[in-house]
Amino acid sequence: MKENKKLQMISFLLAQARKLGADLAGFASVEELKKAPSFNISCSIPESFVDASNAVDENGPVQVASEEVRWPEGAKTVMIVAVHHPDNRPEMDWWYGWTDPPGNKILAKIVQSLCEYASDLYGVEVFHLPYHVEKGGIYLKDAAVIAGLGCIGRNNLLITPEFGPRVRLRAFTLNVELPSTGPSEFNPCRNCEGQCVKACPQNAFSDNVSDRGLRGEGILYYGEKIFSRAACYRQMETDEAEAVEEKIENSSQTVKIIKYCRRCELACPLGKAI
Ligand code: B12
């Protein structure tokens, strides 16, 4: 594809993403992504830990075998979109039985339309990436950082200047080399007292996890940050156990609604509603 056409496509897809309801969007080069932390560290996560027996998606339980990314053939660039999940719309994040959250459905629709535009108008080969890595997805936070949407905060989440961590992500690949739209210099956690760290009911970000024995539990060290996946999974299991049958809006049916913990996200002062 000629350079001019590439530039035209970049601006068209970014504008279209906004029109379709995305709040942020950008591009990340696959070559750069292959060097990003998640794409390298994930292979060394203890096997026992990868086997998340509670993993589910819209079709039911997911068989988790490996977290190594399998790139679609010919993929050169990732387009990533983010949708704001405000504090006052918690249901965007809820799992209704096996049905994936409404927020994810919005994202999937946006990405599907963008895939069709890229393919129909520009003749580009695209691949709509699923949510789970073990189902052919990629590590979305790293992609968002390289695309310039924000940085990884102390809560191990993508922090954006506009919404803090209150965003959800989805992406697709293109078989055309496009320049990454980031990363940025944004680093809001530097002077923050770390409400997110204190908010975690399982101490997932605690310094006390330096106990070597816990490494086998999937504790990730990156830079000065610490995140215990095991601790976070424990909370998710608690959330699943505590889910109760509730009536669905505009229907007489009831379903078990899982409301996964977001304390580290909602404690962040960035993007918090006044
Ligand atoms: C598996 C998974 C989980 C698992 C394991 C989490 C984990 N972090 O390991 C569980 C179920 C515990 C979980 C929990 C949560 N998750 Co989750 N999860 C995922 C999933 C599917 C893959 C994440 C993963 O395995 N990463 C790989 C591991 C190895 O790395 P990591 O812990 O993420 O840390 C890496 C990055 O921080 C990166 N990094 C660190 N510093 C830097 C600096 C630079 C420059 C770069 C490039 C990268 C980078 O390197 C680290 C590894 O070394 C993604 C969707 C996706 N396909 O990406 C959603 C995702 C990450 N989860 C998300 C959310 C919101 C949550 C929860 C708040 C629960 C909820 N209510 O949804 C909690 C928060 C946990 C936390 N604070 O990290 C969002 C994050 C949105 C955001 N603003 O960042 C995602 C992107 C899904 C989405 N719908 O958009 N999750």
Side-chain angles (χ1 to χ4, degrees):
M1 187 186 283
K2 293 224 168 85
E3 285 307 310
N4 266 358
K5 197 157 178 207
K6 279 189 189 176
L7 295 177
Q8 195 197 354
M9 180 174 76
I10 291 174
S11 55
F12 175 80
L13 289 177
L14 288 173
Q16 213 55 32
R18 290 299 199 122
K19 273 195 198 158
L20 290 163
D23 293 297
L24 304 168
F27 294 93
S29 136
V30 168
E31 272 320 300
E32 281 177 62
L33 268 179
K34 283 181 179 167
K35 296 179 214 137
S38 295
F39 291 79
N40 293 297
I41 197 172
S42 55
C43 313
S44 60
I45 294 176
E47 191 66 27
S48 61
F49 214 64
V50 171
D51 185 9
S53 51
N54 288 316
V56 289
D57 74 358
E58 52 270 39
N59 302 314
V62 173
Q63 198 54 46
V64 183
S66 154
E67 284 182 292
E68 202 171 334
V69 167
R70 281 163 284 137
W71 286 101
E73 223 181 292
K76 299 263 170 47
T77 306
V78 169
M79 181 171 185
I80 180 130
V81 302
V83 163
H84 183 203
H85 275 212
D87 298 27
N88 64 357
R89 298 215 35 216
E91 72 285 356
M92 284 179 85
D93 233 33
W94 293 348
W95 284 79
Y96 295 81
W98 293 133
T99 311
D100 63 336
N104 194 46
K105 287 203 175 80
I106 295 171
L107 275 159
K109 217 168 149 194
I110 296 170
V111 168
Q112 191 51 39
S113 299
L114 291 171
C115 282
E116 285 162 20
Y117 282 124
S119 157
D120 297 349
L121 301 179
Y122 295 93
V124 170
E125 261 176 48
V126 292
F127 181 78
H128 186 160
L129 293 157
Y131 177 88
H132 286 102
V133 177
E134 57 278 8
K135 290 221 156 179
I138 63 160
Y139 294 107
L140 295 169
K141 289 183 294 178
D142 293 48
V145 171
I146 289 171
L149 271 53
C151 64
I152 303 293
R154 266 164 77 184
N155 56 6
N156 193 30
L157 293 172
L158 172 78
I159 313 286
T160 66
E162 297 84 351
F163 311 108
R166 297 160 176 83
V167 291
R168 296 295 178 266
L169 308 167
R170 197 153 178 119
F172 69 98
T173 61
L174 305 90
N175 71 338
V176 181
E177 234 160 84
L178 302 173
S180 297
T181 43
S184 73
E185 294 290 305
F186 183 60
N187 182 5
C189 302
R190 204 174 331 184
N191 301 316
C192 179
E193 60 192 59
Q195 288 97 316
C196 56
V197 169
K198 294 177 200 148
C200 179
Q202 303 285 349
N203 283 326
F205 312 101
S206 154
D207 293 14
N208 300 332
V209 294
S210 56
D211 174 353
R212 292 187 73 80
L214 284 176
R215 268 184 181 268
E217 272 203 317
I219 286 160
L220 305 172
Y221 295 83
Y222 47 96
E224 288 163 8
K225 299 171 225 144
I226 296 170
F227 170 69
S228 163
R229 219 183 206 211
C232 193
Y233 266 118
R234 265 197 297 276
Q235 184 57 40
M236 302 288 147
E237 278 163 22
T238 307
D239 299 335
E240 283 162 17
E242 285 175 0
V244 290
E245 292 274 336
E246 289 184 46
K247 204 171 119 12
I248 310 175
E249 221 179 70
N250 303 326
S251 154
S252 57
Q253 275 185 313
T254 63
V255 70
K256 220 173 215 187
I257 304 182
I258 310 170
K259 302 170 185 179
Y260 287 116
C261 180
R262 295 177 67 190
R263 289 183 185 82
C264 62
E265 180 189 4
L266 299 177
C268 180
L270 253 174
K272 209 180 184 68
I274 305 161

